[in-house]
Amino acid sequence: MSYAGDLTPAATWELLQGDASAILVDCRTDAEWNYVGVPDLVRLGKQLVLAQWQTFPDGELNSRFVADLRRAGVTDGVPVAFICRSGHRSIGAAEAATRAGIGPAYNVLDGFEGPLGEDGHRGVAGWRAVGLPWRQF
């Protein structure tokens, strides 16, 4: 594994709650943030970092991803958890952060919405499905 590891959404919340320096980065696209919602860390007195791993609508990798993290105040030596829609793009984000010296970097399993369910819709697992705080823009 080329990053610190995988965390469930609940374990991610515990990390953020227990470590004042820990950061959550939502690496989905701006369209997803705007239309689906984002994790809400207000109860923890923290602010979510938004940094696209891929751009919308073309799906291209964001060549400025690490620079965007740094510009948002993400520094070396602090735990950083990356969340995407279903826990796949966030692996690439955690790997890139690790290569850049950021971290320990973690992937949030099942992401914000989780995988597709039997009905073809998301929401059977992930941040929202386990009842963690979130909000719409």
Side-chain angles (χ1 to χ4, degrees), residues 41-125:
L41 307 181
V42 170
R43 281 193 234 165
L44 301 177
K46 294 183 180 228
Q47 202 162 55
L48 177 68
V49 172
L50 302 174
Q52 295 183 102
W53 173 244
Q54 292 175 293
T55 58
F56 178 81
D58 56 19
E60 295 291 320
L61 286 180
N62 175 6
S63 62
R64 299 179 321 272
F65 180 70
V66 171
D68 290 347
L69 293 175
R70 300 253 188 237
R71 192 172 20 266
V74 179
T75 59
D76 301 349
V78 299
V80 183
F82 292 90
I83 191 168
C84 66
R85 179 185 63 204
S86 59
H88 295 288
R89 284 175 285 174
S90 48
I91 292 172
E95 290 173 334
T98 299
R99 282 192 303 274
I102 295 171
Y106 299 94
N107 169 54
V108 180
L109 293 169
D110 295 322
F112 189 68
E113 297 180 83
L116 292 174
E118 289 180 15
D119 62 358
H121 296 282
R122 296 189 189 279
V124 297

Side-chain angles (χ1 to χ4, degrees), residues 19-53:
D19 187 331
S21 68
I23 297 170
L24 180 63
V25 175
D26 190 326
C27 63
R28 295 175 297 152
T29 65
D30 57 357
E32 290 169 296
W33 303 327
N34 286 302
Y35 295 107
V36 179
V38 296
D40 187 352
L41 307 181
V42 170
R43 281 193 234 165
L44 301 177
K46 294 183 180 228
Q47 202 162 55
L48 177 68
V49 172
L50 302 174
Q52 295 183 102
W53 173 244

